[in-house]
Each structure stands twice: as C-alpha cells, then as structure tokens.
Amino acid sequence: QVQVVESGGGLVQAGGSLRLSCAASGNTYSIHSMGWYRQAPGKQRELVATLIFGGGINYADAVKGRFTISRDNTKNMVYLQMNSLKPEDTAVYYCYTNAGLGYLRNNYWGQGTQVTVSS
C-alpha cells in the first residue's frame, strides 16, 4: 500500500501563483510515476501533469508554459508550481502515485486539495 497526501491549495487571484506538494509513503520502493489530476465541478477528472521516474514529464495542453512539475528524489515528493493562474484552473487537484510490481501495480490517490482562482 502507498499513502498519498497533498497540500498547498487555496484561494488566489487570477495571475497569481500556488505551489502544491504531494508526499508518498508506505511501499514506495517501486514507484513508476507521480503526478496531478484535477476535477472541476460538473466535469470529468483530467490529467494536469505527470512525472515518470527515470523518464519524462507530460503536461496537459491547458497548463503548458504555466505549470511545472518537479520531484524531490530523496523524499518521494512531487510539487506542482502553478503560475499565471486562470479562473478555469479552479478545481480539486488530486495527486496520484503509480507503484507496485506486476499484478500489484496500482494507482494510489490523495484526498485532493482545492484550488480556487478568482477573476
């Protein structure tokens, strides 16, 4: 099992910045990737950014050039730096960790953190 905890959400004005943090703990010896999804009211959960351990980084088109995902290699943590925020970025942001070997490989989710961008 892997536990995932997010922090750092809040209320910010359009054009402002926020930094989200995500910590994974437990059976973290086989993490394949970590990243962020978001879900706005009435919409489906969508990918924001993903970081593949030992691999690459992917961003949703809507956040490219504004959001940056990064990793602390020593702490199984990832961060999402969000700049130039827009009202349409308002959503609950969920961190996920993809971990495990073989048939035990699974996605583990945090509880979510609210990001609200006012116009």
Side-chain angles (χ1 to χ4, degrees):
Q1 286 286 339
V2 176
Q3 293 76 47
V4 180
V5 178
E6 308 102 333
S7 61
L11 173 64
V12 65
Q13 288 188 332
S17 299
L18 281 174
R19 187 190 194 216
L20 306 183
S21 300
C22 174
S25 60
N27 292 332
T28 59
Y29 61 91
S30 60
I31 291 178
H32 303 281
S33 64
M34 294 180 71
W36 298 88
Y37 278 70
R38 68 186 181 186
Q39 188 166 19
K43 295 187 177 181
Q44 289 188 330
R45 190 174 295 191
E46 62 178 5
L47 174 70
V48 176
T50 186
L51 190 155
I52 301 170
F53 285 25
I57 291 174
N58 294 303
Y59 295 99
D61 288 343
V63 307
K64 282 180 181 176
R66 300 187 298 121
F67 291 10
T68 302
I69 188 170
S70 61
R71 173 189 172 191
D72 183 330
N73 293 340
T74 66
K75 298 180 181 179
N76 289 319
M77 292 190 69
V78 292
Y79 306 94
L80 186 68
Q81 178 66 43
M82 305 184 294
N83 298 328
S84 301
L85 282 160
K86 304 175 181 180
E88 51 263 44
D89 294 318
T90 295
V92 177
Y93 284 68
Y94 297 91
C95 179
Y96 82 92
T97 297
N98 181 265
L101 299 175
Y103 70 92
L104 295 177
R105 185 169 175 175
N106 204 354
N107 283 335
Y108 299 89
W109 295 90
Q111 78 286 355
T113 185
Q114 177 70 46
V115 171
T116 302
V117 184
S118 63
S119 57

